[in-house]
Amino acid sequence: MSQLSVAASSIQNSPHSASQSSIGKVDLVVVNKSDTSMLLMRNGKVLRRYKIAMGDRPVGHKLQEGDQRTPEGRYILDYKKSDSAYYRAIHISYPNEEDKLRADALGIDPGGQIMIHGQNPNSTLTPDEAQKLNWTDGCIAIKNHEIDELWQAIDTGTPIEIWP
């Protein structure tokens, strides 16, 4: 288990702690796809941990439009979208220049519109049930109260690292 995983395991992540207190601004968001978690960090310390849902094919780096994968690497959270179909959404700056070059070399469309977003309002599943499944098209989904907290905690330009 990595030091980050150990540190994250001690972080309070109940809905009550998330909704009752503001964590302030974070300077880094880290997604660990293999343990389906998102960490909100400031000055190297984990402030909050969320359980995430991803696309149907979460293993491997996103290569092209429609591959149901979440990208891996370092990106920027570059804008917020309050009128998202999935409650709220925060855009991840995929594809970056490396992703575009790879796609060009392979003759494929890298896709785009990768977001961190809340729950699907048309789903018959509860948020807890939905978070046990990989149901997005390659985006990263968290519960609505968590996207509310993330929305307040990040500024446009906050980096995000997405690990395998």
Side-chain angles (χ1 to χ4, degrees), residues 4 8 28-31 37-41 46 48-50:
L4 198 53
L28 177 64
V29 175
V30 175
V31 172
S37 69
M38 176 187 296
L39 306 176
L40 306 188
M41 303 181 70
V46 178
R48 193 76 80 228
R49 179 184 189 279
Y50 304 139

Side-chain angles (χ1 to χ4, degrees), residues 30-121:
V30 175
V31 172
N32 189 326
K33 290 169 53 173
S34 63
D35 73 3
T36 62
S37 69
M38 176 187 296
L39 306 176
L40 306 188
M41 303 181 70
R42 183 173 54 241
N43 298 324
K45 296 187 180 184
V46 178
L47 303 175
R48 193 76 80 228
R49 179 184 189 279
Y50 304 139
K51 168 102 169 95
I52 63 167
M54 295 172 284
D56 287 336
R57 296 180 61 211
V59 176
H61 179 60
K62 181 168 194 62
L63 293 177
Q64 66 183 5
E65 181 76 28
D67 67 7
Q68 302 291 305
R69 291 186 176 152
T70 302
E72 297 171 358
R74 187 171 174 94
Y75 299 92
I76 300 296
L77 298 172
D78 56 2
Y79 68 85
K80 298 176 180 179
K81 185 171 172 49
S82 58
D83 62 345
S84 167
Y86 299 102
Y87 185 60
R88 286 180 162 175
I90 301 169
H91 185 259
I92 298 170
S93 64
Y94 172 87
N96 61 24
E97 287 307 310
E98 183 180 329
D99 298 318
K100 291 174 189 173
L101 287 171
R102 183 184 303 112
D104 284 347
L106 295 171
I108 56 177
D109 178 354
Q113 293 303 306
I114 302 297
M115 309 263 185
I116 301 170
H117 59 68
Q119 298 296 298
N120 180 348

